[in-house]
């Protein structure tokens, strides 16, 4: 696919934003021993396994993904322009693109032709430009997750919205999603995709991908950030499904030196799957699942939530000296250094 085009000289005009919009409420996540990964990976190439013990400091995590209204307030206060706005384009799922955007699209992702490069697509116009296009700044879209945000955009928002705000590490994200439950569970609520009485617990694709989404879970496309209720004992919503969530980590962090493709080693990790994930195509709506994109990539199904330090940042005492089963320490403080920004990815990993 085409690489990033030249940035605009001037950022777009900042929208008006309601002053009463607060950042997402933060949930206290206890520290202590945990597990990252799984010993029963469904997509081994993504390095879902093996499982490994972790030891985490307490931290706080957004109860929901960041909404359009929350991001709009950040933009209004700072004049921030996202990577998609600076580059002038982003990836839009073909089934959700406006007719004008679909007609004007000149490129798609090889092997995933449902992803279109759409000029003018951004968090403001998530389906691309055109008559009647969904408006990310409208009241109707206020509570929907902001999308078309890169890892760099997400990191900038978190630093603005909270004291010590940052993206969660991958270990923190999995620890919070499990909330102390059985580490063998694929989902925050249990071992099966559906809850009791077949209740839908997350927003993923139902039907035949990519042509038919029945919307059996009540949503075709993204859902509001608080849709479908809490997914676990911590009250976290949409950890799995709805939109992918950037975390602070690189693909290379989980690979033995030289094991993975060098061109993608610095790609950033995202978790949770999205409304486009389906059993037949992208069964990544599971806690240990993961995907990767460059730090300036953006798509119509990628968002984020923020983390922040706990009020009392203490780490539990390690196990007795000489105990070989003691988990390794995983620091939950500070974001990784900025990446080099190697160009927007067109590798089909967006869904």
């Amino acid at each position: 696919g085409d690489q990033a085009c030249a940035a605009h000289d001037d950022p777009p005009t900042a929208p008006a934003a309601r002053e009463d919009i607060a950042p997402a409420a933060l949930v206290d996540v206890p520290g202590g021993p945990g597990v990252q990964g799984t010993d029963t990976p469904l997509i081994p190439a993504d390095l879902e396994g093996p499982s490994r013990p972790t030891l985490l400091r307490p931290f706080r995590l957004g109860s929901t993904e960041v909404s359009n209204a929350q991001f709009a307030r950040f933009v209004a206060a700072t004049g921030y322009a996202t990577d998609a706005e600076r580059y002038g384009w982003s990836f839009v799922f073909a089934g959700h693109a406006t007719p004008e955007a679909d007609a004007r699209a000149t490129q798609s992702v090889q092997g995933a032709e449902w992803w279109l490069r759409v000029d003018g697509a951004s968090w403001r116009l998530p389906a691309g430009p055109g008559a009647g296009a969904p408006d990310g700044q409208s009241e109707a879209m206020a509570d929907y997750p902001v999308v078309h945000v890169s890892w760099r955009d997400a990191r900038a928002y978190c630093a603005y919205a909270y004291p010590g705000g940052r993206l969660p590490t991958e270990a923190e994200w999995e620890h919070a999603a499990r909330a102390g439950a059985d580490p063998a569970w694929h989902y925050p609520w249990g071992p099966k995709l559906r809850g009791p009485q077949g209740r839908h617990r997350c927003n993923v694709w139902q039907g035949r991908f990519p042509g038919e989404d029945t919307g059996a879970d009540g949503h075709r496309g993204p859902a509001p950030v608080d849709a479908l209720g809490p997914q676990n004992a911590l009250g976290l919503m949409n950890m799995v499904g709805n939109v992918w969530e950037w975390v602070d980590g690189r693909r290379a962090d989980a690979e033995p030196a030289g094991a993975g493709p060098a061109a993608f080693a610095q790609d950033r990790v995202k978790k949770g799957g999205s409304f486009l994930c389906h059993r037949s195509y992208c069964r990544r709506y599971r806690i240990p699942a993961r995907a990767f994109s460059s730090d300036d990539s953006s798509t119509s199904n990628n968002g984020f939530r923020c983390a922040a330090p706990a009020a009392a940042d203490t780490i539990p005492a390690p196990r007795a000296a000489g105990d070989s089963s003691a988990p390794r320490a995983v620091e939950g403080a500070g974001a990784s250094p900025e990446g080099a920004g190697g160009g927007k990815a067109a590798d089909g990993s967006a869904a």
Side-chain angles (χ1 to χ4, degrees), residues 26 30 64-65 103 131 143 182 184 187 190 212 221 243 248 266 270 281:
L26 294 173
T64 65
E65 296 150 343
D143 294 331
D182 188 339
Y187 309 105
E212 178 198 16
V243 294
D248 186 19
Q266 299 307 308
K270 48 192 181 181
Y281 164 61

Side-chain angles (χ1 to χ4, degrees), residues 91-111:
F91 286 115
V92 177
F93 175 63
H96 296 163
T98 63
E100 179 181 325
D102 185 58
R104 293 176 57 188
T106 58
Q107 293 177 323
S108 61
V109 176
Q110 184 176 5

Side-chain angles (χ1 to χ4, degrees), residues 161-176:
Y162 305 98
R166 56 182 176 79
L167 292 172
T169 66
E170 186 173 10
E172 286 176 331
W173 191 97
E174 291 195 19
H175 184 75

Side-chain angles (χ1 to χ4, degrees), residues 187-227:
Y187 309 105
W189 55 86
K192 297 182 179 180
L193 180 61
R194 298 279 191 90
Q197 290 79 52
R199 176 189 171 197
H200 288 281
R201 301 299 306 272
C202 64
N203 176 24
V204 295
W205 189 281
Q206 287 94 36
R208 189 184 295 258
F209 186 85
E212 178 198 16
D213 182 1
T214 65
D217 57 16
H219 305 280
R220 293 184 179 93
V225 296
D226 59 354

Side-chain angles (χ1 to χ4, degrees), residues 239-264:
M239 289 291 284
V240 166
N242 212 31
V243 294
W244 282 103
E245 299 181 9
W246 291 111
V247 296
D248 186 19
R250 300 178 188 269
R251 181 187 180 110
D253 295 342
E255 291 181 320
F264 303 127

Side-chain angles (χ1 to χ4, degrees), residues 64-129:
T64 65
E65 296 150 343
V66 175
S67 71
N68 281 314
Q70 291 159 347
F71 197 79
R73 184 174 184 186
F74 160 62
V75 171
T78 64
Y80 185 87
T82 63
D83 278 329
E85 290 171 309
R86 291 196 297 267
Y87 291 133
W89 65 276
S90 188
F91 286 115
V92 177
F93 175 63
H96 296 163
T98 63
E100 179 181 325
D102 185 58
R104 293 176 57 188
T106 58
Q107 293 177 323
S108 61
V109 176
Q110 184 176 5
E113 286 73 19
W114 45 86
W115 282 114
L116 305 178
R117 170 188 162 149
V118 173
D119 290 346
S122 73
W123 73 273
R124 304 165 191 265
L125 293 172

Side-chain angles (χ1 to χ4, degrees), residues 225-298:
V225 296
D226 59 354
L228 300 173
Q231 289 186 338
N232 66 12
L234 290 176
L236 297 170
M237 303 185 193
N238 286 313
M239 289 291 284
V240 166
N242 212 31
V243 294
W244 282 103
E245 299 181 9
W246 291 111
V247 296
D248 186 19
R250 300 178 188 269
R251 181 187 180 110
D253 295 342
E255 291 181 320
F264 303 127
Q266 299 307 308
D267 280 359
R268 299 292 179 174
V269 180
K270 48 192 181 181
K271 301 286 287 184
S274 83
F275 59 84
L276 294 180
C277 283
H278 185 263
R279 183 184 182 94
S280 68
Y281 164 61
C282 171
R283 199 177 174 188
R284 293 184 174 91
Y285 42 87
R286 297 169 291 110
I287 293 173
R290 54 214 303 268
F292 317 93
S293 289
S294 63
D295 62 5
D296 59 352
S297 290
S298 59

